[in-house]
């Protein structure tokens, strides 16, 4: 892949600071420095956390795909009011509790095929950097000390609100902190909190205590990326006050502080209400992946533009699962065929000759992928159109192989299959949908999840298939159809292929028709199975 974007496909991103799309140009040619706000680790992570992680993982993958050397930093907040509160409830040490949930988060990220960031700093490991930055802020008269607490004086920073457009009077110190009458201005926010009984604390020039919420990201981003870097990301809910306060702190500590692009992913909603732990309307990643394959969840998450709201619904998860099964069934059938035909493939080192249809298909897929991804990561538009056409052509070519052909034409078909498969895999790799397991393993895992949702085990399905075969031998086709419909309502499709009946997952036929997609969210098309396409 080219080491930089071509003129035809300049990478454009939406910058929250300017509220418009801009051509991406890193501060250092060939290198990208990116910081993304991570989770406050006190519980299992929910779907909103998964969306943020997957959105910026796609960005990370695409930047690497473009040839950039990327330094990606995503933090863990392991010192926080919520962590302390949960630790007091469970009788655990706060740092130990948070460490446990940091590890659980990374397990979820691995399941979702998210690449590990370059650095994953934790607040508890960076107290010296935090205290040093607070000292700089105080020395430059942007901070003041009251009884061991340190506050940022927002009146001293005239550009406060430039990211969010919010006015000072709207800042409630981050919602995590009660209004304090000792502040010079009610909008001032805590940089350092004096120690309280029963809370973890660290020594500082202002007395024992711990950091406020916002200072951690300013200190850690500066430590790993310097005060000048390319991308700062996070959820929409972080624009104000968290990112607004980060800008104030960082600029107060270093006048030359500068982030080129502020990028934010949209909320995940449940019945059109923002999904969050505080509202109690969330689903953890684990709750979803117990019933749906992580690849299906990832497909669901990227099937809407990252800046658009994403409405949680079983309908869309079912559709995503069905689409993923179709993708990997097609790829498995293609791979199986190519393995059997290895001896017929030339090994002369010459460029592969392919059919005109295959050449056009590959060109269209490559072009559509670059156009859509370069336009602010429009992933929701990639998994339709040329991508599905490529899978359909694979199935058509596999069907052609079953027919008698001249040797030269047969060779064109075989090489076309290989070239299309390679192009499809490149797309899946950048989207994070190329699994570490074999295609067959993915299909078996998807089938196991479908059985879980149906409340069945495979022996139940085999028994019903055998019973239906007996019913068909007795020519009771009405009952046969009823048995098939009964399983289809549970998300199990029976397919009669010759004298054999096989099964695969499907979208249950009885769904809530009132659930509609969010703006920008695509309903995954319901493809035929790869087997049905060729039967």
């Amino acid at each position: 892949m080219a080491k930089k974007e071509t003129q035809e496909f300049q990478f454009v991103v939406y910058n929250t600071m300017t509220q418009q799309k801009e051509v991406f140009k890193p501060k250092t040619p060939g290198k990208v420095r990116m910081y993304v706000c991570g989770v406050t680790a006190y519980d299992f992570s929910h779907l909103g956390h998964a969306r943020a992680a997957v959105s910026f993982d796609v960005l990370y993958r695409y930047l690497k795909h473009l040839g950039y050397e990327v330094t990606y930093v995503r933090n863990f907040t392991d010192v926080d009011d919520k962590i302390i509160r949960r630790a007091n409830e469970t009788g655990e040490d706060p740092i130990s509790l948070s460490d446990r949930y940091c590890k659980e988060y990374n397990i979820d990220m691995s399941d979702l095929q998210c690449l590990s960031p370059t650095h994953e700093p934790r607040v508890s490991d960076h107290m010296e950097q935090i205290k040093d930055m607070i000292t700089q802020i105080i020395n430059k008269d942007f901070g003041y000390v009251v009884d061991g607490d340190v506050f940022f004086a927002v009146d001293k920073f005239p550009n406060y609100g430039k990211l969010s457009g919010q006015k000072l009077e709207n800042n409630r110190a981050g919602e995590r902190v009660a209004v304090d009458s000792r502040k010079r201005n009610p909008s001032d926010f805590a940089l350092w909190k004096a120690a309280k009984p029963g809370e973890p604390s660290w020594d500082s020039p202002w007395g024992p205590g711990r950091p406020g919420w916002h200072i951690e990201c300013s200190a850690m981003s500066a430590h790993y990326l310097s005060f000048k870097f390319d991308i700062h990301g996070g959820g929409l809910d972080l624009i104000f006050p968290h990112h607004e306060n980060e800008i104030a702190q960082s600029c107060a500590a270093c006048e030359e502080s500068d982030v080129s692009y502020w990028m934010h992913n949209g909320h995940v909603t449940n019945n059109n209400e923002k999904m969050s732990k505080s509202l109690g309307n969330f689903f953890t990643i684990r709750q979803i992946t117990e019933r749906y394959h992580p690849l299906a969840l990832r497909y669901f998450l990227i099937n809407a533009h990252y800046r658009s709201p994403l409405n949680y619904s079983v309908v869309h998860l079912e559709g995503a699962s069905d689409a993923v099964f179709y993708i990997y069934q097609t790829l498995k059938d293609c791979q199986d065929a190519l393995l059997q035909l290895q001896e017929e493939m030339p090994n002369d080192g010459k460029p592969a000759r392919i059919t005109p249809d295959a050449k056009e298909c590959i060109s269209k897929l490559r072009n559509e992928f670059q156009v859509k991804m370069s336009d602010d990561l429009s992933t929701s538009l990639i998994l339709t159109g040329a991508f599905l056409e490529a899978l359909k052509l694979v199935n058509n070519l596999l069907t052609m192989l079953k027919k008698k052909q001249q040797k030269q034409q047969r060779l064109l078909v075989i090489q076309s299959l290989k070239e299309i498969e390679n192009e499809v895999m490149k797309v899946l790799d950048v989207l994070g949908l190329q699994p570490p397991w074999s295609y067959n393993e993915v299909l078996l895992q998807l089938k196991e999840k479908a059985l879980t949702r149906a409340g069945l085990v495979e022996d139940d399905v085999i028994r019903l298939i055998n019973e239906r075969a007996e019913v068909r031998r007795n020519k009771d086709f009405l009952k046969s159809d009823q048995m098939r419909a009964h399983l289809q309502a549970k998300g199990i499709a029976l397919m009669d292929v010759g004298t054999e009946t096989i099964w695969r997952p499907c979208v249950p036929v009885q769904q809530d028709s009132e659930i509609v997609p969010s703006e920008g969210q695509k309903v995954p098309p319901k493809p035929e199975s790869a087997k049905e396409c060729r039967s």
Side-chain angles (χ1 to χ4, degrees):
M1 183 52 59
K3 292 293 182 182
K4 61 180 180 179
E5 309 94 327
T6 64
Q7 289 295 315
E8 189 177 359
F9 298 112
Q10 287 185 311
F11 183 30
V12 174
V13 298
Y14 183 86
N15 190 349
T16 305
M17 181 65 78
T18 60
Q19 298 185 39
Q20 63 184 11
K21 290 181 181 179
E22 300 176 1
V23 175
F24 178 73
K25 294 180 179 179
K27 294 182 182 297
T28 303
K31 297 183 178 182
V32 177
R33 290 171 292 175
M34 177 170 73
Y35 186 93
V36 176
C37 290
V39 296
T40 300
Y42 68 97
D43 201 347
F44 288 104
S45 295
H46 58 64
L47 194 55
H49 298 140
R51 190 183 193 196
V54 169
S55 295
F56 288 101
D57 181 68
V58 170
L59 174 60
Y60 183 32
R61 287 171 177 272
Y62 188 57
L63 289 168
K64 289 163 71 73
H65 171 77
L66 292 175
Y68 289 112
E69 179 186 329
V70 186
T71 302
Y72 175 20
V73 182
R74 184 183 65 209
N75 75 298
F76 280 114
T77 296
D78 65 345
V79 179
D80 182 83
D81 292 343
K82 294 180 180 179
I83 296 169
I84 294 169
R85 193 178 307 124
R86 177 61 60 84
N88 288 338
E89 291 170 357
T90 61
E92 293 181 70
D93 171 72
I95 300 298
S96 296
L97 178 141
S98 189
D99 177 67
R100 178 158 55 87
Y101 284 115
C102 289
K103 292 174 181 175
E104 297 291 355
Y105 174 84
N106 280 334
I107 291 172
D108 288 336
M109 293 304 100
S110 177
D111 286 345
L112 289 172
Q113 307 301 313
C114 289
L115 300 175
S116 296
T118 315
H119 305 286
E120 290 186 283
R122 302 188 188 190
V123 177
S124 62
D125 294 329
H126 293 79
M127 287 298 167
E128 294 308 312
Q129 290 85 356
I130 290 170
K131 287 185 286 185
D132 286 347
M133 180 170 279
I134 294 174
T135 299
Q136 293 175 53
I137 292 170
I138 294 173
N139 290 343
K140 294 183 179 181
D141 202 29
F142 284 93
Y144 58 94
V145 183
V146 181
D147 301 328
D149 291 308
V150 183
F151 297 103
F152 186 92
V154 294
D155 287 338
K156 300 280 187 176
F157 189 70
N159 288 328
Y160 189 85
K162 65 178 181 179
L163 177 68
S164 63
Q166 293 274 10
K167 297 180 179 180
L168 281 179
E169 55 266 29
N170 295 331
N171 183 10
R172 297 190 301 277
E175 297 183 356
R176 300 188 179 203
V177 187
V179 174
D180 192 329
S181 60
R182 300 172 302 156
K183 295 179 182 179
R184 296 174 184 174
N185 184 314
S187 297
D188 293 350
F189 55 90
L191 298 172
W192 187 263
K193 299 180 179 183
K196 295 179 182 178
E199 292 186 353
S201 64
W202 289 260
D203 290 333
S204 80
W206 321 286
R210 58 188 173 88
W213 173 30
H214 314 293
I215 191 67
E216 62 188 68
C217 289
S218 288
M220 290 190 286
S221 62
H223 177 68
Y224 288 96
L225 304 174
S226 84
F227 280 97
K228 294 182 177 182
F229 57 96
D230 302 297
I231 298 170
H232 196 313
L236 276 175
D237 55 324
L238 297 180
I239 295 175
F240 186 86
H242 185 52
H243 288 166
E244 198 70 75
N245 290 351
E246 275 193 64
I247 293 171
Q249 295 164 158
S250 297
C251 291
C254 176
E255 292 180 5
E256 297 180 353
S257 176
D258 178 60
V259 173
S260 299
Y261 306 93
W262 289 84
M263 299 178 67
H264 296 90
N265 64 276
H267 296 311
V268 177
T269 59
N270 188 355
N271 293 324
N272 298 314
E273 184 177 46
K274 178 180 175 289
M275 189 179 288
S276 70
K277 290 179 180 177
S278 58
L279 295 174
N281 65 345
F282 68 95
F283 294 94
T284 67
I285 298 169
R286 296 287 173 88
Q287 286 174 317
I288 295 171
T289 55
E290 283 174 1
R291 297 173 60 81
Y292 294 92
H293 197 287
L295 284 173
L297 176 54
R298 186 176 178 108
Y299 185 106
F300 165 76
L301 292 168
I302 66 175
N303 204 39
H305 191 276
Y306 77 93
R307 286 190 289 113
S308 299
L310 176 67
N311 196 39
Y312 169 82
S313 77
V314 170
V315 170
H316 291 109
L317 277 171
E318 289 285 358
S321 185
D322 197 54
V324 168
F325 191 92
Y326 172 66
I327 291 169
Y328 292 109
Q329 182 67 68
T330 301
L331 290 174
K332 178 184 180 297
D333 294 341
C334 179
Q335 190 178 71
D336 289 348
L338 290 173
L339 284 172
Q340 293 176 6
L341 300 167
Q342 272 185 328
E343 293 182 359
E344 297 184 44
M345 297 176 67
N347 192 24
D348 52 14
K350 295 181 180 179
R353 294 182 63 242
I354 59 178
T355 67
D357 284 349
K359 190 176 296 184
E360 181 182 355
C361 170
I362 290 170
S363 175
K364 186 176 179 181
L365 177 57
R366 188 176 295 164
N367 183 74
E368 192 168 289
F369 173 74
Q370 293 186 53
V371 168
K372 301 306 180 186
M373 285 296 286
S374 65
D375 182 15
D376 196 31
L377 305 175
S378 297
T379 54
S380 59
L381 302 176
I382 291 172
L383 293 167
T384 56
F387 183 81
L388 284 182
E389 288 175 18
L391 296 178
K392 184 177 180 180
L393 182 55
V394 167
N395 285 315
N396 290 341
L397 292 171
L398 289 170
T399 299
M400 290 175 62
L401 285 175
K402 295 181 178 180
K403 301 175 182 177
K404 289 185 177 181
Q405 296 171 302
Q406 292 183 353
K407 183 178 179 180
Q408 194 61 35
Q409 180 62 29
R410 183 175 174 84
L411 184 58
L412 282 176
V413 171
I414 294 170
Q415 294 188 130
S416 296
L417 276 173
K418 185 171 181 59
E419 294 301 311
I420 297 172
E421 181 198 24
N422 286 340
E423 202 64 33
V424 167
M425 288 170 64
K426 289 177 186 176
V427 172
L428 292 176
D429 184 58
V430 176
L431 295 179
L433 291 172
Q434 185 66 31
W437 320 285
S438 70
Y439 298 141
N440 189 56
E441 286 176 298
V442 175
L443 293 171
L444 291 174
Q445 292 164 4
L446 285 161
K447 292 177 80 170
E448 190 62 37
K449 296 292 184 184
L451 290 170
T452 297
R453 297 195 297 275
L456 301 169
V457 295
E458 187 157 26
D459 285 348
D460 295 328
V461 179
I462 300 302
R463 176 177 53 80
L464 289 168
I465 287 175
N466 292 334
E467 290 177 4
R468 179 172 170 270
E470 182 63 28
V471 167
R472 294 180 76 201
R473 280 193 289 271
N474 294 332
K475 301 190 184 300
D476 190 347
F477 299 114
L478 177 60
K479 185 174 182 181
S480 170
D481 289 343
Q482 289 173 339
M483 294 175 74
R484 179 195 288 231
H486 170 72
L487 283 175
Q488 195 168 2
K490 291 179 174 290
I492 306 295
L494 300 185
M495 294 173 292
D496 299 316
V497 183
T499 59
E500 183 186 9
T501 299
I502 60 176
W503 74 273
R504 58 150 284 174
C506 69
V507 176
V509 292
Q510 297 175 353
Q511 294 288 344
D512 184 356
S513 60
E514 295 182 0
I515 298 179
V516 296
S518 305
E519 182 182 354
Q521 185 175 356
K522 301 292 183 182
V523 177
K526 185 187 177 188
E528 296 178 284
S529 75
K531 295 288 187 184
E532 288 175 311
C533 288
R534 297 191 301 283
S535 61

